[in-house]
Amino acid sequence: MEIWICVLAVAFMIIAALVIKIYLMKKSAREIRKAFWEKIKNDTNTLISISSHDHDMCELADGINVQLKELYGRRQRYQQGDLELKEAITNISHDLRTPLTAIYGYLELLKGEEASETVKNYLDIIENRTVALRQLTEELFRYTVAASEAEKLELEDIVINGVLEESISSYYAVLKQHEIMPDISIPEKKVVRRLNREALVRIFGNIISNAVKYSDGDLRITLSEEGEIVFSNHAAGLTDVEVGKLFDRFYTVNNARKSTGLGLSIAKMLTEEIGGTIAAYYSEDIIRIRIFFPEVIL
């Protein structure tokens, strides 16, 4: 009888030790998960530390810390490269502005002089190319400004309905010029989100401008009470690969040669910066750009 009591006592001690070990390991796993999320979310260069002295869990934390160090290094290199790229674009666009303005001014003077029809045609061609180049330069400059401002946007309660209506109205002349009559669906109920007004105006404007470039003559804009905005239009001849790259910097498809491809890149950057998501879809010759701003409960 005493032997069985000893066996049960030993078994109980082993089970108790295993339960404690499992509890401590689960506690360490939770600590690692929480610490890892905080390191990634807060973009800090501190490493993970745990209260447990378990060899395996310590090795796991050390292994994650090695990867975090590598991630920090890559992130810093990326941020430095991105900063240098923005500065280069700003300098290039600034350096191009002055000579382009001078060229355009002299072209205006030349057009006022007597010239043959051939010379006038040549001057018109030069003027068109100069205007296009100036527009591209301005677009590059606006991108770098938007990228710098995106990091310090202040949020406030915004009625999306009103901003969307104003954005569509501001592009009325452009849409009419391209013979596009937009089909608009906006609910009467106010869709309020905590956003940045200027960023939202730029997002909508860039997407409408993109629709003008690619549309086959139609544009549908819908806003749901859940905070989803969808811009859709027919655009025959595109591919899923092209549509998937629309948000990439400097990417343009063949029928948009007068663009740097930065408009939708800016829209994506600003949308994500103010807490939304944006994506593009293509099916049955219709391109759809979907933006969603979830309701944030404080």
Side-chain angles (χ1 to χ4, degrees), residues 48-264:
I48 294 174
S49 61
I50 58 176
S51 59
S52 173
H53 298 288
D54 181 81
H55 177 72
D56 293 324
M57 299 307 293
C58 288
E59 279 195 345
L60 175 61
D62 290 341
I64 294 176
N65 283 333
V66 170
Q67 298 301 317
L68 281 175
K69 289 179 181 178
E70 178 66 21
L71 177 62
Y72 297 147
R74 292 185 179 183
R75 180 178 288 169
Q76 288 178 348
R77 290 192 294 271
Y78 167 79
Q79 291 175 341
Q80 181 62 30
D82 195 52
L83 178 61
E84 292 174 356
L85 176 61
K86 291 175 184 175
E87 291 178 349
I89 293 173
T90 302
N91 293 335
I92 291 171
S93 60
H94 182 270
D95 291 342
L96 287 174
R97 274 177 162 185
T98 302
L100 281 174
T101 301
I103 291 171
Y104 192 77
Y106 281 115
L107 280 173
E108 289 295 315
L109 293 175
L110 283 173
K111 290 181 69 175
E113 299 291 330
E114 292 186 7
S116 65
E117 289 299 320
T118 302
V119 172
K120 288 181 179 179
N121 290 335
Y122 288 158
L123 287 175
D124 287 338
I125 293 173
I126 295 172
E127 183 180 24
N128 289 336
R129 298 297 185 268
T130 303
V131 171
L133 183 57
R134 189 165 64 174
Q135 289 175 346
L136 296 178
T137 304
E138 288 298 322
E139 195 172 342
L140 281 171
F141 183 76
R142 286 195 298 268
Y143 173 79
T144 55
V145 171
S148 300
E149 292 178 348
E151 300 175 357
K152 47 187 177 182
L153 294 174
E154 295 184 0
L155 306 182
E156 59 180 326
D157 289 340
I158 298 293
V159 180
I160 298 179
N161 315 52
V163 177
L164 183 57
E165 290 173 354
E166 292 172 11
S167 298
I168 296 172
S169 297
S170 66
Y171 277 85
Y172 175 77
V174 177
L175 292 168
K176 185 177 181 180
Q177 180 182 356
H178 288 79
E179 299 182 351
I180 298 175
M181 183 59 66
D183 180 10
I184 305 167
S185 177
I186 299 178
E188 293 184 4
K189 178 182 177 181
K190 292 183 179 180
V191 182
V192 181
R193 295 292 185 272
R194 194 158 186 80
L195 307 170
N196 179 276
R197 182 182 180 82
E198 293 182 3
L200 194 60
V201 169
R202 185 173 296 181
I203 291 166
F204 290 157
N206 287 1
I207 294 176
I208 295 174
S209 296
N210 181 78
V212 172
K213 295 174 189 174
Y214 296 108
S215 177
D216 290 340
D218 65 323
L219 175 60
R220 178 170 174 75
I221 303 173
T222 63
L223 168 65
S224 72
E225 295 182 0
E226 289 72 33
E228 180 187 67
I229 309 102
V230 179
F231 299 80
S232 60
N233 59 269
H234 282 82
L238 297 181
T239 66
D240 292 335
V241 174
E242 289 175 330
V243 172
K245 292 182 178 180
L246 285 178
F247 298 111
D248 294 351
R249 288 187 303 191
F250 306 113
Y251 179 79
T252 61
V253 295
N254 292 332
N255 61 343
R257 296 184 183 276
K258 291 184 178 180
S259 171
T260 58
L262 291 174
L264 289 184

Side-chain angles (χ1 to χ4, degrees), residues 27-45:
K27 179 183 178 183
S28 299
R30 287 193 297 269
E31 290 177 351
I32 292 173
R33 182 185 63 183
K34 181 179 178 182
F36 181 76
W37 172 250
E38 289 177 349
K39 308 305 178 191
I40 297 298
K41 182 179 179 181
N42 297 325
D43 191 20
T44 175
N45 59 358

Side-chain angles (χ1 to χ4, degrees), residues 2-18:
E2 292 180 356
I3 295 177
W4 283 108
I5 293 175
C6 291
V7 170
L8 290 174
V10 172
F12 177 79
M13 291 174 62
I14 294 174
I15 293 172
L18 288 173

Side-chain angles (χ1 to χ4, degrees), residues 15-30:
I15 293 172
L18 288 173
V19 169
I20 293 173
K21 184 175 180 63
I22 292 172
Y23 169 77
L24 293 176
M25 290 182 67
K26 291 180 67 176
K27 179 183 178 183
S28 299
R30 287 193 297 269

